[in-house]
Amino acid sequence: MAMTDPIADMLTRIRNAGLAKHPKLDVPSSNIKEALASVLKDLGYIKNFKNISDEKQGVLRIYLKFDEDNQHVIHEIKRVSTPGRRIYVGKDEIPMVKNGLGCAILSTSKGLMDDAAARTAQVGGELLCTVW
Protein backbone atom coordinates (compact mmCIF):
# COMPACT_ATOMS: atom_id res chain seq x y z
CA MET A 1 0.00 0.00 0.00
CA ALA A 2 1.26 3.47 -0.85
CA MET A 3 2.25 5.79 1.98
CA THR A 4 0.43 9.13 1.88
CA ASP A 5 2.68 11.11 4.25
CA PRO A 6 6.30 9.91 4.35
CA ILE A 7 7.46 12.88 6.47
CA ALA A 8 4.95 12.03 9.22
CA ASP A 9 6.15 8.42 9.04
CA MET A 10 9.75 9.55 9.53
CA LEU A 11 8.81 11.76 12.50
CA THR A 12 6.81 8.93 14.08
CA ARG A 13 9.72 6.53 13.67
CA ILE A 14 12.06 9.05 15.36
CA ARG A 15 9.57 9.54 18.21
CA ASN A 16 9.04 5.79 18.73
CA ALA A 17 12.75 4.91 18.53
CA GLY A 18 13.54 7.61 21.08
CA LEU A 19 10.91 6.33 23.49
CA ALA A 20 12.22 2.78 23.06
CA LYS A 21 15.83 4.02 23.61
CA HIS A 22 17.11 2.68 20.28
CA PRO A 23 20.47 4.21 19.29
CA LYS A 24 19.62 4.30 15.57
CA LEU A 25 16.76 3.84 13.15
CA ASP A 26 16.32 3.31 9.43
CA VAL A 27 13.80 5.08 7.20
CA PRO A 28 13.35 4.90 3.43
CA SER A 29 15.42 7.69 1.90
CA SER A 30 14.33 10.73 -0.10
CA ASN A 31 15.74 14.19 -0.70
CA ILE A 32 13.33 15.93 1.67
CA LYS A 33 13.94 13.40 4.46
CA GLU A 34 17.68 13.88 4.05
CA ALA A 35 17.25 17.67 4.23
CA LEU A 36 15.04 17.29 7.32
CA ALA A 37 17.65 15.07 9.00
CA SER A 38 20.31 17.66 8.15
CA VAL A 39 18.30 20.42 9.85
CA LEU A 40 17.71 18.21 12.91
CA LYS A 41 21.46 17.49 13.08
CA ASP A 42 22.36 21.18 12.77
CA LEU A 43 19.97 21.99 15.62
CA GLY A 44 21.47 19.24 17.81
CA TYR A 45 18.43 16.97 18.02
CA ILE A 46 20.16 13.95 16.42
CA LYS A 47 23.80 12.84 16.45
CA ASN A 48 24.26 12.04 12.80
CA PHE A 49 22.71 10.45 9.73
CA LYS A 50 23.94 8.69 6.63
CA ASN A 51 22.43 7.57 3.37
CA ILE A 52 22.90 3.87 2.65
CA SER A 53 22.32 2.93 -0.96
CA ASP A 54 20.63 -0.32 -1.87
CA GLU A 55 18.98 -1.73 -4.98
CA LYS A 56 15.79 0.26 -4.31
CA GLN A 57 15.49 3.86 -3.14
CA GLY A 58 18.09 3.74 -0.37
CA VAL A 59 17.92 3.86 3.40
CA LEU A 60 18.50 6.85 5.64
CA ARG A 61 20.10 5.72 8.91
CA ILE A 62 19.56 8.21 11.75
CA TYR A 63 21.61 8.07 14.95
CA LEU A 64 19.60 9.39 17.90
CA LYS A 65 20.93 11.59 20.68
CA PHE A 66 20.35 11.00 24.40
CA ASP A 67 21.30 13.13 27.41
CA GLU A 68 23.36 12.04 30.43
CA ASP A 69 20.26 10.53 32.10
CA ASN A 70 19.63 8.38 28.99
CA GLN A 71 16.55 10.44 28.09
CA HIS A 72 15.80 11.24 24.46
CA VAL A 73 16.79 14.80 23.53
CA ILE A 74 13.58 15.31 21.53
CA HIS A 75 10.71 15.80 23.98
CA GLU A 76 8.08 16.34 21.31
CA ILE A 77 8.11 16.23 17.51
CA LYS A 78 4.86 17.00 15.70
CA ARG A 79 3.81 17.23 12.08
CA VAL A 80 1.96 20.50 11.39
CA SER A 81 1.30 20.67 7.66
CA THR A 82 -0.21 17.49 6.22
CA PRO A 83 -1.05 16.48 2.64
CA GLY A 84 -4.74 17.05 3.40
CA ARG A 85 -4.24 20.40 5.12
CA ARG A 86 -1.23 22.47 4.10
CA ILE A 87 -0.17 25.20 6.52
CA TYR A 88 1.75 28.13 5.05
CA VAL A 89 3.16 31.03 7.06
CA GLY A 90 4.55 34.37 5.96
CA LYS A 91 7.85 35.76 7.16
CA ASP A 92 6.09 37.71 9.94
CA GLU A 93 3.88 34.77 11.02
CA ILE A 94 6.56 32.17 11.84
CA PRO A 95 5.58 30.73 15.25
CA MET A 96 7.78 30.55 18.32
CA VAL A 97 7.80 27.01 19.72
CA LYS A 98 7.76 26.86 23.54
CA ASN A 99 8.88 30.52 23.73
CA GLY A 100 12.06 29.79 21.80
CA LEU A 101 13.02 26.53 23.54
CA GLY A 102 11.95 24.52 20.50
CA CYS A 103 12.00 25.21 16.81
CA ALA A 104 9.78 25.02 13.76
CA ILE A 105 11.05 23.57 10.50
CA LEU A 106 9.87 25.22 7.29
CA SER A 107 10.09 24.33 3.64
CA THR A 108 10.96 27.63 1.95
CA SER A 109 11.98 28.72 -1.51
CA LYS A 110 15.57 28.63 -0.23
CA GLY A 111 15.29 25.03 1.04
CA LEU A 112 14.45 23.48 4.39
CA MET A 113 15.40 25.64 7.36
CA ASP A 114 14.54 26.22 10.97
CA ASP A 115 12.47 29.16 12.18
CA ALA A 116 15.44 31.30 13.25
CA ALA A 117 17.15 30.93 9.87
CA ALA A 118 13.87 31.71 8.07
CA ARG A 119 13.42 34.89 10.12
CA THR A 120 17.00 35.93 9.32
CA ALA A 121 16.51 35.21 5.61
CA GLN A 122 13.13 37.03 5.68
CA VAL A 123 11.26 34.13 4.03
CA GLY A 124 8.12 32.19 4.86
CA GLY A 125 6.94 28.83 3.62
CA GLU A 126 5.22 25.60 4.51
CA LEU A 127 5.39 24.80 8.23
CA LEU A 128 6.42 21.14 8.17
CA CYS A 129 6.90 20.31 11.85
CA THR A 130 7.74 21.56 15.32
CA VAL A 131 10.41 20.09 17.61
CA TRP A 132 11.39 20.68 21.22
Side-chain angles (χ1 to χ4, degrees):
M1 182 168 188
M3 187 181 315
T4 58
D5 194 359
I7 295 173
D9 177 63
M10 176 183 169
L11 298 178
T12 300
R13 287 182 191 212
I14 290 173
R15 185 182 319 111
N16 290 343
L19 289 172
K21 309 270 191 281
H22 292 296
K24 66 181 188 302
L25 70 129
D26 292 340
V27 295
S29 183
S30 71
N31 289 338
I32 192 151
K33 289 180 188 177
E34 197 168 333
L36 184 61
S38 175
V39 171
L40 288 173
K41 180 185 175 197
D42 292 343
L43 294 172
Y45 287 113
I46 61 173
K47 278 185 189 175
N48 204 355
F49 69 95
K50 67 179 177 179
N51 200 345
I52 301 169
S53 60
D54 60 0
E55 64 276 355
K56 297 179 184 173
Q57 70 183 34
V59 174
L60 189 66
R61 179 161 291 161
I62 299 172
Y63 297 93
L64 299 178
K65 191 173 186 180
F66 296 93
D67 63 6
E68 59 275 352
D69 297 330
N70 202 24
Q71 296 297 317
H72 194 218
V73 173
I74 298 174
H75 295 94
E76 179 181 274
I77 186 164
K78 281 198 314 192
R79 179 82 156 119
V80 177
S81 181
T82 63
R85 186 189 60 149
R86 300 288 185 186
I87 306 294
Y88 295 97
V89 292
K91 62 180 177 126
D92 299 325
E93 303 164 346
I94 299 172
M96 293 284 287
V97 179
K98 301 286 184 182
N99 283 333
L101 292 177
C103 71
I105 299 176
L106 288 89
S107 175
T108 67
S109 58
K110 297 182 179 180
L112 251 64
M113 57 180 65
D114 64 305
D115 54 354
R119 282 189 198 95
T120 304
Q122 292 288 308
V123 294
E126 183 181 356
L127 185 59
L128 292 180
C129 63
T130 58
V131 185
W132 80 275

